[in-house]
Amino acid sequence: MSNHLMNTYARLPLAFTHGEGSWLWDDEGKKYLDALGGIAVCALGHAHPAVTTAITHQAQRLIHTSNLFRIPLQEQLSRHLCHLSGMDRVFFCNSGAEAVEAALKLARLHGRQRNISAPTVVVMENSFHGRTLATLSATGNHKVQAGFEPLVQGFIRAPYNDIQTLTRIAHDCPDVVAVLVEPIQGEGGINIPNSDYLRQVRALCNQQGWLMMLDEIQCGLGRTGRWFAYQHEGVMPDVVCLAKGLANGVPIGACMAHGSAAALFGPGNHGSTFGGNPLACAAAAAVLKTIEMERLVARAATLGERMLIELQASLAGLQGVVEVRGKGLMIGIELDSPCKELVARALTAGVIINVTQDTVVRLLPPLILTDDEADQIVQVVAQVVRDFLLPPD
């Protein structure tokens, strides 16, 4: 491995040369079933022909002009996203962290319009929003923040899935202008709130004049069995952040806004050199069209429920398993002890998984997963968990 790269990742000693569908091949020719999808990025798997064609065609025509000019592909993509989401306007950037940064700037502008001199955003414990200074300050993980103090000010932290604490904050903290929450916490361990949590947050935001800002970077774009996870509860947020699966690996992020929040930015308030360039927008358009044509949102709901039920049945009663939970193709298996070694065990068995929060096996497979591939993931993952918890005498 190169010693010229900054030491920011504890990389596995494995390099992939190519992929097809839900499969990857390493440089020694071994084949792996990808149950992680580049951490929820490759929703259409690898080397999908629609994305490949879109990228190739656009690269032959035009890659970049800058946002000093109209970008018709960007305009078309924004219309499509607003149609799917119910939002009104979109700001395009290059990553999830940048999308959250845009949301935080919207929140501050919203506060300034209300004559609040120190606008404050409520964020959640155990959350993850990115690694820029503002987004790591919003993140509820001390490991991400360690060494980068002083953190950005203007955040109040609350327990996730706890509307009572949010209500107390509303009573005690007059400078609050917004709530930033993940409808499902991904990096935090596939944590799923009560079925009415987002409706309660929406009601409180309406009462207080706060912006309801949702980070759907990991859970959005069909992964949970709806286009957006908030649609399970029938609520309409003010701001939604997207990235990951939007362009199947081509860097792009989006901050979408609804109602008065959509009118907060004016020329000069925000920008991005590369954001929403023709190449990224062409790839994203191909992704959305393919998800629609192949009905992958409904497929994620059906297949994810089946995988969840089978994993729960396979691991039922096994000492050391705390919970098997999920929504659509976003599944977590929580154990009662650290289990990072399961990643290597699964790789040996030919399946790519991830462990987050030290104790949660995280599965984020492509939405194009076949029934047979889903069965293989369930069988391998259940077996490596059993072998880990029940070692031979």
Side-chain angles (χ1 to χ4, degrees):
M1 290 190 287
S2 172
N3 58 5
H4 295 290
L5 293 171
M6 288 193 181
N7 188 27
T8 55
Y9 292 92
R11 300 177 195 267
L12 293 165
L14 184 65
F16 298 112
T17 59
H18 64 286
E20 182 179 350
S22 300
W23 297 87
L24 286 166
W25 283 261
D26 69 15
D27 52 8
E28 296 183 354
K30 183 175 178 179
K31 182 180 179 182
Y32 301 84
L33 180 51
D34 188 357
L36 185 60
I39 318 180
V41 167
C42 300
L44 301 185
H46 305 282
H48 192 284
V51 179
T52 301
T53 298
I55 292 172
T56 302
H57 176 72
Q58 189 59 44
Q60 291 171 336
R61 293 173 58 83
L62 188 65
I63 293 177
H64 178 79
T65 60
S66 89
N67 283 293
L68 297 177
F69 307 94
R70 286 185 55 219
I71 302 175
L73 282 169
Q74 188 182 113
E75 295 167 5
Q76 294 164 22
L77 180 60
S78 66
R79 284 196 296 271
H80 199 167
L81 284 171
C82 287
H83 170 73
L84 295 171
S85 65
M87 297 287 107
D88 295 323
R89 292 185 180 176
V90 185
F91 170 80
F92 287 109
C93 48
N94 309 288
S95 67
E98 289 180 47
V100 176
E101 287 273 357
L104 295 174
K105 290 180 74 172
L106 287 174
R108 290 200 172 184
L109 284 176
H110 174 66
R112 295 293 183 179
Q113 286 191 356
R114 299 175 62 197
N115 296 317
I116 295 175
S117 60
T120 301
V121 177
V122 181
V123 293
M124 303 301 151
E125 296 174 0
N126 217 36
S127 62
F128 183 85
H129 299 294
R131 294 181 181 273
T132 64
L133 275 175
T135 57
L136 71 83
S137 298
T139 291
N141 183 330
H142 295 302
K143 291 181 180 179
V144 172
Q145 298 167 343
F148 300 108
E149 300 86 353
L151 301 178
V152 174
Q153 300 300 301
F155 298 105
I156 295 177
R157 212 162 301 283
Y160 186 64
N161 194 28
D162 182 346
I163 198 66
Q164 286 76 24
T165 297
L166 273 182
T167 303
R168 286 198 296 272
I169 289 172
H171 181 267
D172 297 338
C173 304
D175 288 342
V176 170
V177 297
V179 175
L180 174 62
V181 62
E182 297 159 276
I184 297 175
Q185 289 187 330
E187 199 76 20
I190 314 296
N191 300 316
I192 303 169
N194 297 338
S195 60
D196 61 348
Y197 177 60
L198 293 184
R199 285 197 298 271
Q200 292 177 321
V201 172
R202 176 72 273 177
L204 185 61
C205 287
N206 289 345
Q207 176 186 332
Q208 298 296 319
W210 298 347
L211 296 182
M212 181 183 184
M213 308 196 306
L214 300 184
D215 181 337
E216 292 241 7
I217 291 163
Q218 190 165 139
C219 64
L221 298 166
R223 178 152 298 278
T224 68
R226 298 294 297 268
W227 273 104
F228 303 97
Y230 64 83
Q231 292 171 336
H232 288 284
E233 292 196 37
V235 300
M236 181 60 71
D238 299 295
V239 180
V240 179
C241 300
L242 302 175
K244 287 192 179 289
L246 183 53
N248 216 59
V250 177
I252 189 171
C255 178
M256 307 191 298
H258 172 72
S260 61
L264 286 167
F265 277 156
N269 285 146
H270 203 39
S272 172
T273 297
F274 298 104
N277 67 56
L279 185 71
C281 288
V287 169
L288 296 183
K289 182 178 179 181
T290 302
I291 291 174
E292 285 184 314
M293 289 180 59
E294 298 185 8
R295 300 180 180 179
L296 295 179
V297 177
R299 170 72 175 165
T302 302
L303 190 59
E305 183 179 13
R306 195 184 99 190
M307 291 179 70
L308 182 64
I309 290 171
E310 290 176 354
L311 282 166
Q312 289 171 336
S314 181
L315 299 175
L318 186 61
Q319 187 172 0
V321 175
V322 176
E323 186 180 21
V324 182
R325 54 184 178 260
K327 206 170 192 67
L329 290 174
M330 191 172 186
I331 298 172
I333 303 167
E334 184 178 358
L335 306 186
D336 65 0
S337 60
C339 59
K340 287 190 174 182
E341 68 182 80
L342 288 176
V343 173
R345 293 191 183 206
L347 282 174
T348 299
V351 174
I352 300 169
I353 65 170
N354 173 247
V355 170
T356 190
Q357 292 295 303
D358 293 328
T359 61
V360 181
V361 176
R362 178 170 51 164
L363 304 178
L364 301 164
L367 308 188
I368 59 163
L369 202 67
T370 67
D371 288 352
D372 289 343
E373 290 165 350
D375 290 341
Q376 185 172 341
I377 290 172
V378 168
Q379 291 163 10
V380 169
V381 170
Q383 189 62 54
V384 297
V385 170
R386 282 195 296 268
D387 291 346
F388 173 74
L389 294 175
L390 300 171
D393 295 333

